[in-house]
Amino acid sequence: MRNSLPSLNALKAFESVARHLSMTLAGQELHVTPGAISLHIRELERQLGLPLFQRNGRKLALTASGQGYYYSIASAFSLIREATETLVQETQKNTITLACTTGFATHWLLPRLADFERACPDIDLRISATSRIQSFATDGIDLAVRHGNGFCEGCVSEKLIDDDYLAVCIPAVAQQLGEPPALAALGRVTLLHDMHREDWQRWLAEAGVGDIDSGKGPLYSDGSGAWLAMLAGMGVALMRRRFVQANLASGEVVAPFSNTLNTGHAYWLITPHEALLRSAVVKVRAWLMQQSTE
């Protein structure tokens, strides 16, 4: 018994002849001559070591072995066609799911979605906002924006925005810090914490302020709580500069101090290599990177 498989062309010829019971019709279907079809069939029968057709003049009929082989080969070709159609549909579909944190979605992505609709009207962008790291393989995620060092095995990582923090508040709270604002006056207002308290500790240390309890103030765990509390006038929050540019420009919030804290991390756009085969993913990726430069 031979280990090598028959050639694909021979199998295609056999499947077509068996379906039409005609070398001529098979040749027309496959765009080759009947003589070429006949050669494929003879080679296939030689390789298999048994006849697949009974020949009676110009008439063809499948042998018992040929009949069983045809059913198997036809089924195999059907599976190949279905797999190919599924893959093509998958690569051409225009629904893209982007995973990101709630904070990134609220402060950076959502304000830009009107521009996305204008730039990519044919793409249905779905946003999965959560602090949990979602799986490309099991959660149906096409792209992800993740906070950290950008490493993700089997993916392309591109830095989207840096991660430097500013202390921000509404103008009414800023008045409590004096004119000009004094760092020491932060002890008189509430420090609002987002997710954890270490950021304020590091920000104050780098600003040279050592006599303020960095642990005081409420801790919010949903990624936007500190921001909403700050807008309500409850205190001062640390926010990523790129998240609040528009709010600062409008005067809705102010940054009383020029001091910043760079955590050494950033927001990275993560794309699995196989996702780059889809034109819709490439378009969304290009739009995100273009927005990151503005």
Side-chain angles (χ1 to χ4, degrees), residues 215-259:
K216 71 173 185 177
L219 175 68
Y220 299 90
S221 60
D222 66 354
S224 296
W227 167 255
L228 295 174
M230 181 273 298
L231 289 179
M234 295 176 61
V236 182
L238 288 178
M239 294 298 300
R240 294 174 174 89
R241 182 194 301 272
R242 296 292 298 275
F243 282 4
V244 297
Q245 284 178 320
N247 308 88
L248 291 169
S250 69
E252 179 185 20
V253 302
V254 296
F257 311 105
S258 61
N259 307 73

Side-chain angles (χ1 to χ4, degrees), residues 243-291:
F243 282 4
V244 297
Q245 284 178 320
N247 308 88
L248 291 169
S250 69
E252 179 185 20
V253 302
V254 296
F257 311 105
S258 61
N259 307 73
T260 62
L261 169 67
N262 191 304
T263 65
H265 290 162
Y267 280 89
W268 295 81
L269 177 59
I270 312 294
T271 313
H273 289 296
E274 60 272 19
L276 294 173
L277 298 174
R278 297 176 55 193
S279 61
V281 170
V282 173
K283 286 182 181 179
V284 173
R285 182 167 168 257
W287 177 81
L288 287 167
M289 295 307 300
Q290 182 266 328
Q291 290 293 311

Side-chain angles (χ1 to χ4, degrees), residues 16 21 68 77 79 90-91 98 101 106 108 118 127 144 161 174 186 191 226 230 244 247 250 264 274 285:
S16 184
L21 291 178
F77 276 126
L79 288 174
E90 182 71 19
T91 59
L98 171 69
T101 64
T106 301
W108 194 91
R118 291 189 294 270
I127 301 167
I161 60 173
L186 285 169
L191 303 184
M230 181 273 298
V244 297
N247 308 88
S250 69
E274 60 272 19
R285 182 167 168 257

Side-chain angles (χ1 to χ4, degrees), residues 28 33 54 59 62 84 104 117 120 128 134-135 161 164 191 204 210 219 225 247 260 287 293:
Q28 291 174 357
T33 66
Q54 294 174 342
K59 292 184 179 181
L62 286 163
T84 302
F104 181 87
E117 293 292 337
C120 305
S128 179
Q134 299 182 73
S135 167
I161 60 173
D164 54 328
L191 303 184
L204 290 168
L219 175 68
N247 308 88
T260 62
W287 177 81
T293 64

Side-chain angles (χ1 to χ4, degrees), residues 196-215:
H196 49 77
R197 301 182 186 277
E198 290 79 5
D199 291 334
W200 265 116
Q201 181 182 21
R202 293 181 58 188
W203 189 94
L204 290 168
E206 291 199 12
V209 180
D211 56 352
I212 293 177
D213 180 7
S214 62

